[in-house]
Amino acid sequence: MSLFAYEDKLEILGILTGAFVVLVALGTMLEPPWTTNSSTGAAMVQTLGILLTLGVGLFLIQFSYSGDLLPGRGESE
């Protein structure tokens, strides 16, 4: 019997933050940079930045997700 019940409340915050970053990256891709920028190099840098932002969001979700977000799961009696 444990006196302290520990629940990681930052896990859900990390997942929501990662999902927000992914949504921002996908929203940025709705208007591709090469349609508004005449310079090919600048459009490539912007596209690379969008892909890196998407990767950061997915990494944040993967890093913060432990697999048991539902309460009561994983508890033994």
Side-chain angles (χ1 to χ4, degrees), residues 38-54:
S38 61
S39 173
T40 305
M44 288 175 57
V45 169
Q46 288 174 343
T47 305
L48 181 65
I50 292 169
L51 293 176
L52 287 175
T53 303
L54 184 64

Side-chain angles (χ1 to χ4, degrees), residues 14-25 50-64:
I15 291 171
L16 289 176
T17 304
F20 176 74
V21 171
V22 167
L23 283 175
V24 167
I50 292 169
L51 293 176
L52 287 175
T53 303
L54 184 64
V56 166
L58 292 175
F59 176 76
L60 185 58
I61 292 172
Q62 180 67 30
F63 182 73
S64 59

Side-chain angles (χ1 to χ4, degrees), residues 5-22:
Y6 175 74
E7 184 178 340
D8 188 10
K9 302 225 187 283
L10 292 178
E11 179 180 5
I12 190 73
L13 182 64
I15 291 171
L16 289 176
T17 304
F20 176 74
V21 171
V22 167

